[in-house]
Amino acid sequence: MSNVRLRFYFKILVFTLLFFLACGFQTSFWPNITMLIPSPQFWLILIIFMTLKWSPQFTIFYIYFLGFCMLSFSEIPLKMIWTTLLIMFSLLLFIKNRIQLTGAVSFIVLVLFGSFIFEVSYYYFSTLFEAIPTSILFTDRLLQILINFIFSFPLYFIFDKFDTLIFDENEWARSTKHLNEAQYE
């Protein structure tokens, strides 16, 4: 197995663990902090980060896998999560290819769009597909979009650091060099 493939698998493992931590934070930890403000959707921000930074051919299948994993953290039916994630993924790629921004500013704006797309498409498809559709909860959904927008700035740097550290060939070469030097001492 090549070093690049090993780093890629490790990157997938780390981001899957981050996804589980984000889902657990939203469902278990945040409600104990405050019940008045809806929890930030760190898992959604992570999915938006992957949509914008990673190759679309791999990311769509990985997002479907994460959507399936999310079933154990929420009551969202599989058809709803997959449909809304596909719509959000497609529209974000379309928007990303039309604007020429990069970095944190682009990510923050696209998290705002992505959160809005997710909430609107989830409500719309719920009225189409479900026997008992979700209620609109306008204030709650608007607050969730704004909280995602606020938390997206620091999370961009955290996710970007994980992404570059894990898959950066220079970092891996330095760590392998130190490991080899320690073996000979």
Side-chain angles (χ1 to χ4, degrees):
M1 184 178 302
S2 73
N3 194 11
V4 173
R5 185 165 295 275
L6 181 65
R7 286 191 315 249
F8 178 72
Y9 290 150
F10 185 65
K11 177 180 174 176
I12 298 306
L13 176 68
V14 167
F15 273 88
T16 303
L17 291 175
L18 277 175
F19 180 79
F20 283 129
L21 285 172
C23 289
F25 179 81
Q26 179 181 349
T27 57
S28 299
F29 188 71
W30 186 270
N32 292 320
I33 295 173
T34 179
M35 298 283 287
L36 300 174
I37 302 171
S39 61
Q41 297 171 318
F42 291 146
W43 61 270
L44 183 63
I45 297 170
L46 181 64
I47 286 177
I48 292 171
F49 177 82
M50 289 184 274
T51 300
L52 301 175
K53 289 284 196 169
W54 294 6
S55 163
Q57 292 81 12
F58 170 76
T59 306
I60 187 65
F61 295 110
Y62 186 60
I63 287 173
Y64 272 177
F65 166 71
L66 293 178
F68 180 75
C69 291
M70 192 176 163
L71 294 178
S72 60
F73 291 99
S74 70
E75 295 293 321
I76 300 174
L78 186 61
K79 64 183 174 187
M80 291 299 300
I81 193 68
W82 278 358
T83 305
T84 53
L85 287 177
L86 178 65
I87 296 297
M88 185 193 68
F89 176 82
S90 302
L91 289 175
L92 278 179
L93 277 182
F94 179 77
I95 293 169
K96 176 190 157 203
N97 291 334
R98 298 297 180 261
I99 61 173
Q100 299 301 320
L101 292 174
T102 58
V105 174
S106 169
F107 181 70
I108 292 168
V109 170
L110 290 173
V111 164
L112 185 65
F113 284 137
S115 297
F116 179 77
I117 292 167
F118 181 81
E119 295 294 339
V120 169
S121 63
Y122 183 79
Y123 177 75
Y124 177 73
F125 287 118
S126 176
T127 58
L128 286 179
F129 296 141
E130 293 183 321
I132 302 172
T134 187
S135 55
I136 186 133
L137 301 171
F138 181 76
T139 308
D140 187 57
R141 292 184 192 276
L142 183 64
L143 275 174
Q144 213 156 32
I145 292 169
L146 292 175
I147 288 173
N148 287 349
F149 176 73
I150 292 167
F151 278 93
S152 64
F153 184 71
L155 285 177
Y156 171 76
F157 296 107
I158 293 169
F159 294 153
D160 191 49
K161 190 68 169 172
F162 272 113
D163 194 33
T164 55
L165 272 179
I166 293 170
F167 210 59
D168 187 17
E169 190 171 327
N170 296 328
E171 282 294 322
W172 280 73
R174 275 190 267 145
S175 66
T176 307
K177 178 182 166 194
H178 292 301
L179 180 65
N180 289 339
E181 289 173 359
Q183 287 176 346
Y184 293 116
E185 290 179 354

